[in-house]
Amino acid sequence: MNMVTALMEKPYVKVGEENSIVVSIPLYDRTIVVDEVLEVLLEHTNPPHVREPRIFHFDISHEVQDGVDAFLFQLLVLGCLSQTSGSVWRRSDMDYYIIESMPLLARDSETQVGKLKCMHRCLDILPDVLCRSPKESLDIFDESFPDDFSETDLIFDESEFASETFQRPYQYLSGLDGDEALTDINPEEPEETGRLLEYY
């Protein structure tokens, strides 16, 4: 079992709770303000005698446009962030960093076909996992693979879909959508995956 698997089996703890194993920091403003991010990170700095690996999850919204490259370069390449007040936060080699992002894309004017390229170039050099859309997932299930398909791509998770957490609201909503009786809802009997994906 690797470090990430072991950590993910522990309870998910959001920002604001003490002794977080997983620290999730959402970034939604147009510009990343390093001082604000650093303030949260400093709250989750372990004492010197505590040597426990953690997962830091940065959720960068599509609306964030400025400061992404500088922030990621300082955090992941240089390994430290500095605050205007003088405080410094250093990245630990024991920690694991997840950058969740739907990157801004632009047409590359230097190529004849005008391929899409990521506006935040720092994301291009990082290892990544692509989350496929429901339509793409359905195509992959039908063995019609996209040109850029990789075995590491995340597609529709059938086990999650089969869980009661998803089945109960899905069956109610699909019943309402089809004017069906809502008395036959049974989350222990999952609906077919293809039917859900076809809605999208």
Side-chain angles (χ1 to χ4, degrees):
M1 179 182 296
N2 62 30
M3 180 192 77
V4 179
T5 305
L7 286 175
M8 291 304 291
E9 288 184 352
K10 297 187 178 183
Y12 190 93
V13 184
K14 292 189 176 181
V15 169
E17 298 182 35
E18 295 182 359
N19 302 320
S20 301
I21 296 300
V22 179
V23 179
S24 183
I25 303 176
L27 302 171
Y28 297 130
D29 294 335
R30 179 184 174 89
T31 302
I32 292 181
V33 180
V34 175
D35 279 12
E36 294 176 0
V37 177
L38 194 55
E39 198 171 307
V40 177
L41 290 172
L42 290 172
E43 291 175 5
H44 294 273
T45 301
N46 283 332
H49 64 279
V50 176
R51 298 282 294 167
E52 184 176 31
R54 293 176 298 171
I55 296 176
F56 288 92
H57 168 231
F58 295 90
D59 184 3
I60 302 177
S61 169
H62 191 65
E63 286 75 20
V64 181
Q65 297 184 23
D66 303 321
V68 175
D69 286 329
F71 168 71
L72 293 178
F73 184 79
Q74 291 175 44
L75 175 68
L76 303 176
V77 179
L78 299 181
C80 69
L81 295 171
S82 57
Q83 208 170 29
T84 52
S85 64
S87 299
V88 175
W89 187 85
R90 292 191 177 277
R91 177 172 57 84
S92 169
D93 291 336
M94 295 180 65
D95 295 333
Y96 189 79
Y97 295 81
I98 299 173
I99 311 298
E100 181 180 349
S101 173
M102 188 172 71
L104 290 171
L105 301 175
R107 293 285 176 189
D108 189 350
S109 58
E110 296 178 3
T111 62
Q112 290 183 345
V113 292
K115 288 185 177 180
L116 290 173
K117 66 176 182 180
C118 184
M119 290 182 63
H120 305 309
R121 304 313 295 265
C122 204
L123 292 173
D124 285 338
I125 64 173
L126 298 175
D128 64 338
V129 174
L130 180 62
C131 298
R132 293 290 179 179
S133 69
K135 171 65 170 65
E136 290 173 318
S137 294
L138 186 59
D139 290 341
I140 292 168
F141 284 136
D142 291 337
E143 298 188 359
S144 176
F145 299 98
D147 293 336
D148 59 345
F149 176 73
S150 168
E151 292 294 331
T152 60
D153 290 356
L154 291 181
I155 58 175
F156 188 83
D157 191 324
E158 293 188 75
S159 60
E160 282 292 320
F161 174 64
S163 69
E164 183 176 344
T165 303
F166 285 87
Q167 280 297 308
R168 187 177 299 281
Y170 169 69
Q171 290 184 24
Y172 272 110
L173 291 172
S174 61
L176 283 171
D177 189 51
D179 292 327
E180 300 171 5
L182 301 181
T183 54
D184 299 328
I185 302 299
N186 185 0
E188 294 181 3
E189 294 183 6
E191 298 277 346
E192 291 184 13
T193 301
R195 184 182 173 194
L196 170 67
L197 292 175
E198 285 168 0
Y199 277 115
Y200 296 91

